[in-house]
């Protein structure tokens, strides 16, 4: 994906213009990106947006970066209230409006007050709301699906025809769907950029609403001979990627299942509810309601794992560098062919 159209690329250009410094994009592939500011390397994480309630989680993720490179946030826009929070917590940031706070090596730049241009499309776009997110997952999973009629898309995804229309209009307005010729001559474009935005929205907005509960186990090998399908469940996260390729011992577990089978699963797997804020170092089991179980990658059907795009999003959102490596392998070996632009 070209840095010209990424958050990192836009933030870099805005910084160069606002501060009059030389800025070069070294790596714009989310979630970890790197730029050089007057020759000094700055590493950071990419977010479509930053909310006040998510700052502590972002700070935790920034700690996984190389401290020598002065971890930063790259995002569309930091409003004044969040800016104050970031400054109190000594977090570097750069947004696409020219606002920034950078304190690395011998460089100190702090600019505020720039506001984003108002856009009526951004205010009304339905592409990344609930129905749109499900549609995007289906479109990314099955090449050519965008050419189908709205009625066919509704039948495949379970989304109403009206919601399909609203989401497709949003994707067209954002440039992710182009028209060629007559009839249904639509094609999906900028797929990696779309995937990145979908991943961020899924992790930040969608997945938290699916959480049933957090549990723990003392047996880190429990998943190996456990048939999750007997409980109408599928694996995500670390076990999910282990089902596709060799993986260095999953230590955290992600399960998607119907809540009606929860207590049977807890009993059979001997899982314990985590009380209060206590979190185990290893053996944590997060259980979520299913998300689009009928949509898998084309030609990648597996009965006991969720869509690999969900697994990829979960691994990339992790603080564990092993998971980032596993996610990259999953992308290279399974997902790449779905996003390679001809």
């Amino acid at each position: 994906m070209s840095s010209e159209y990424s958050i990192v690329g836009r933030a870099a250009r805005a910084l160069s213009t606002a501060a009059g410094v030389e800025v070069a994009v070294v790596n714009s592939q989310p979630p970890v990106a790197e730029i050089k500011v007057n020759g000094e390397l700055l590493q950071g994480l990419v977010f479509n947006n930053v909310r006040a309630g998510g700052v502590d989680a972002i700070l935790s993720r920034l700690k996984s970066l190389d401290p020598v490179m002065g971890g930063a946030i790259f995002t569309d826009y930091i409003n004044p209230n969040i800016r104050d929070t970031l400054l109190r917590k000594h977090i570097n940031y750069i947004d696409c409006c020219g606002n920034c706070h950078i304190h690395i090596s011998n460089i100190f730049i702090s600019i505020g007050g720039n506001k984003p241009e108002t856009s009526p499309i951004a205010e009304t776009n339905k592409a990344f709301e609930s129905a749109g997110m499900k549609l995007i997952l289906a479109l990314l999973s099955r090449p050519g699906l965008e050419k189908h009629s709205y009625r066919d898309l509704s039948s495949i995804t379970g989304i109403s025809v009206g919601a399909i229309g609203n989401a497709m209009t949003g994707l067209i307005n954002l440039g992710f769907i182009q028209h060629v010729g007559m009839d249904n001559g639509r094609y999906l474009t900028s797929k990696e950029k779309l995937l990145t935005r979908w991943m961020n929205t899924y992790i930040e907005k969608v997945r938290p609403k699916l959480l049933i509960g957090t549990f723990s186990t003392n047996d880190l090998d429990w998943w190996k001979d456990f048939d999750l399908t007997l409980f109408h469940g599928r694996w995500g996260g670390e076990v999910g990627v282990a089902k596709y390729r060799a993986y260095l011992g999953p230590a955290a577990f992600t399960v998607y299942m119907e809540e009606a089978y929860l207590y049977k699963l807890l009993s059979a797997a001997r899982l314990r509810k985590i009380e209060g804020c206590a979190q185990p170092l290893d053996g944590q089991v997060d259980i979520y309601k299913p998300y689009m179980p009928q949509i898998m990658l084309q030609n990648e059907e597996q009965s006991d794992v969720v869509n690999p795009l969900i697994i990829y999003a979960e691994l990339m959102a992790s603080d564990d560098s092993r998971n980032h490596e596993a996610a990259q392998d999953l992308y290279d070996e399974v997902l790449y062919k779905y996003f390679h632009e001809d």
Side-chain angles (χ1 to χ4, degrees), residues 194-298:
L194 179 59
L195 172 62
T196 297
R197 185 161 176 183
W198 181 89
M199 287 167 51
N200 289 337
T201 306
Y202 177 77
I203 294 298
E204 295 175 9
K205 293 184 178 180
V206 177
R207 192 176 66 162
K209 297 177 182 178
L210 301 175
L211 184 65
I212 295 173
T214 300
F215 305 85
S216 67
T217 178
N218 292 328
D219 181 8
L220 298 185
D221 293 324
W222 72 284
W223 63 277
K224 291 182 178 179
D225 299 314
F226 195 89
D227 187 356
L228 198 55
T229 63
L230 296 176
F231 304 88
H232 297 253
R234 295 176 183 242
W235 298 104
E238 296 181 20
V239 175
V241 75
K243 294 284 184 173
Y244 275 95
R245 58 178 304 281
Y247 182 73
L248 185 61
F253 308 92
T254 304
V255 171
Y256 288 82
M257 66 176 298
E258 298 290 348
E259 192 168 3
Y261 297 89
L262 176 63
Y263 291 105
K264 290 183 179 179
L265 172 67
L266 298 182
S267 176
R270 298 182 179 179
L271 304 180
R272 304 180 307 277
K273 176 72 175 177
I274 294 179
E275 301 295 342
C277 298
Q279 299 288 323
L281 294 177
D282 291 318
Q284 179 169 320
V285 184
D286 292 314
I287 300 181
Y288 297 90
K289 299 173 186 175
Y291 187 71
M292 294 290 285
Q294 74 273 36
I295 298 297
M296 289 291 290
L297 287 183
Q298 185 170 297

Side-chain angles (χ1 to χ4, degrees), residues 157-212:
T157 63
I159 303 168
S160 72
V161 173
I164 291 283
N166 289 335
M168 290 291 280
T169 298
L171 290 171
I172 291 168
N173 288 338
L174 292 171
F176 289 117
I177 288 182
Q178 303 289 335
H179 281 274
V180 175
M182 304 293 289
D183 300 323
N184 292 334
R186 298 184 291 263
Y187 70 94
L188 200 62
T189 188
S190 303
K191 294 180 183 178
E192 289 185 331
K193 180 181 177 183
L194 179 59
L195 172 62
T196 297
R197 185 161 176 183
W198 181 89
M199 287 167 51
N200 289 337
T201 306
Y202 177 77
I203 294 298
E204 295 175 9
K205 293 184 178 180
V206 177
R207 192 176 66 162
K209 297 177 182 178
L210 301 175
L211 184 65
I212 295 173

Side-chain angles (χ1 to χ4, degrees), residues 114-136:
N114 295 320
K115 297 181 179 180
E117 296 180 2
T118 58
S119 170
I121 290 179
E123 294 173 1
T124 61
N125 198 291
K126 304 291 185 181
F128 290 91
E129 294 186 2
S130 178
M133 286 290 291
K134 293 178 179 179
L135 177 63
I136 291 169

